[in-house]
Amino acid sequence: QKEVEQDPGPLSVPEGAIVSLNCTYSNSAFQYFMWYRQYSRKGPELLMYTYSSGNKEDGRFTAQVDKSSKYISLFIRDSQPSDSATYLCAMGDTGGFKTIFGAGTRLFVKA
Amino acid sequence: KAGVTQTPRYLIKTRGQQVTLSCSPISGHRSVSWYQQTPGQGLQFLFEYFSETQRNKGNFPGRFSGRQFSNSRSEMNVSTLELGDSALYLCASSLLGTGDEKLFFGSGTQLSVL
């Protein structure tokens, strides 16, 4: 079993839709949770960063962490064609010297 | 401030050959991590270096190795290439390399093994 599970999609939505992306994990030591966005032929870039459980909002993006269920989510409101990319969840703990990534979900937003 | 630079961008090799990939981190960053990205497996952790020392290693065979130089630049080497090694190899840098830090990625080296 992988430490982090993420549905690879693809996920196709119309412009303006609300998008929900999710990951589950098994290692209870993870305390830091991130979402990276990767455009084609580019490296991933950090989109959202949260510590422990709770919500964090940044513009159209909201990240949620539920440590009791070992479940994290990313919501995108009013999705745009420019949001079309691969979204990777990632997590780590302070002393682990590594960040573990999910497989990534490919998102297509159609105009 | 210059970003993470990976060279070369593309490589084509044949089975049995070896390959060396290079990564220059952001100035001031002392940690370099390497990841292998494939459509089926996503981003898989290879290893992490800090101050020329490997501090963590993923579940890859010994054919995959790396090193870091005193200027924080890093190289990874894959010997006796196999078809399954075809992938995008990504390098990421950060200040300290702890699991709570933001990673800055390069654009990767796309390796094709024929």
Side-chain angles (χ1 to χ4, degrees):
Chain A
Q1 184 189 1
K2 290 185 179 181
E3 281 189 280
V4 180
E5 298 282 356
Q6 182 178 11
D7 187 340
L11 180 62
S12 183
V13 301
E15 184 175 358
I18 295 174
V19 176
S20 173
L21 304 169
N22 312 291
C23 288
T24 59
Y25 64 95
S26 57
N27 189 343
S28 58
F30 291 145
Q31 299 180 66
Y32 302 91
F33 303 91
M34 294 148 274
W35 287 92
Y36 284 78
R37 179 173 61 192
Q38 184 177 22
Y39 290 113
S40 181
R41 291 185 292 278
K42 295 286 189 182
E45 289 184 303
L46 184 67
L47 189 60
M48 298 288 283
Y49 180 105
T50 53
Y51 169 70
S52 195
S53 286
N55 294 358
K56 181 174 183 178
E57 190 173 319
D58 184 0
R60 297 184 294 111
F61 299 89
T62 299
Q64 287 186 351
V65 176
D66 181 350
K67 287 192 70 181
S68 63
S69 301
K70 296 189 179 67
Y71 188 86
I72 70 171
S73 302
L74 176 70
F75 297 95
I76 306 174
R77 290 183 299 281
D78 188 25
S79 56
Q80 303 295 309
S82 58
D83 294 329
S84 297
T86 296
Y87 290 81
L88 300 122
C89 63
M91 47 201 77
D93 61 275
T94 303
F97 306 128
K98 67 178 179 180
T99 299
I100 301 299
F101 286 80
T105 300
R106 288 200 70 188
L107 172 67
F108 296 95
V109 181
K110 296 178 291 186
Chain B
K1 200 174 192 181
V4 178
T5 303
Q6 288 190 249
T7 56
R9 284 284 279 127
Y10 302 95
L11 265 178
I12 299 176
K13 293 286 186 179
T14 56
R15 280 181 298 174
Q17 288 187 308
Q18 75 166 17
V19 66
T20 299
L21 313 181
S22 179
C23 172
S24 292
I26 290 173
S27 177
H29 285 190
R30 296 170 64 189
S31 170
V32 172
S33 298
W34 287 90
Y35 290 85
Q36 180 194 67
Q37 186 174 32
T38 57
Q41 298 296 319
L43 234 67
Q44 292 192 282
F45 175 77
L46 280 156
F47 27 65
E48 186 268 351
Y49 286 88
F50 180 86
S51 293
E52 302 178 68
T53 300
Q54 186 185 91
R55 296 191 298 187
N56 210 337
K57 189 177 189 305
N59 294 323
F60 279 83
R63 301 185 296 107
F64 291 82
S65 62
R67 59 177 176 169
Q68 186 182 34
F69 302 96
S70 57
N71 62 358
S72 294
R73 191 177 70 84
S74 178
E75 289 180 347
M76 69 162 282
N77 183 276
V78 188
S79 63
T80 319
L81 284 166
E82 300 178 0
L83 295 178
D85 296 334
S86 295
L88 179 66
Y89 289 88
L90 289 161
C91 160
S93 78
S94 64
L95 280 170
L96 301 175
T98 52
D100 57 343
E101 280 191 314
K102 173 181 179 178
L103 297 178
F104 294 82
F105 283 87
S107 292
T109 294
Q110 182 67 55
L111 172 65
S112 297
V113 181
L114 306 178

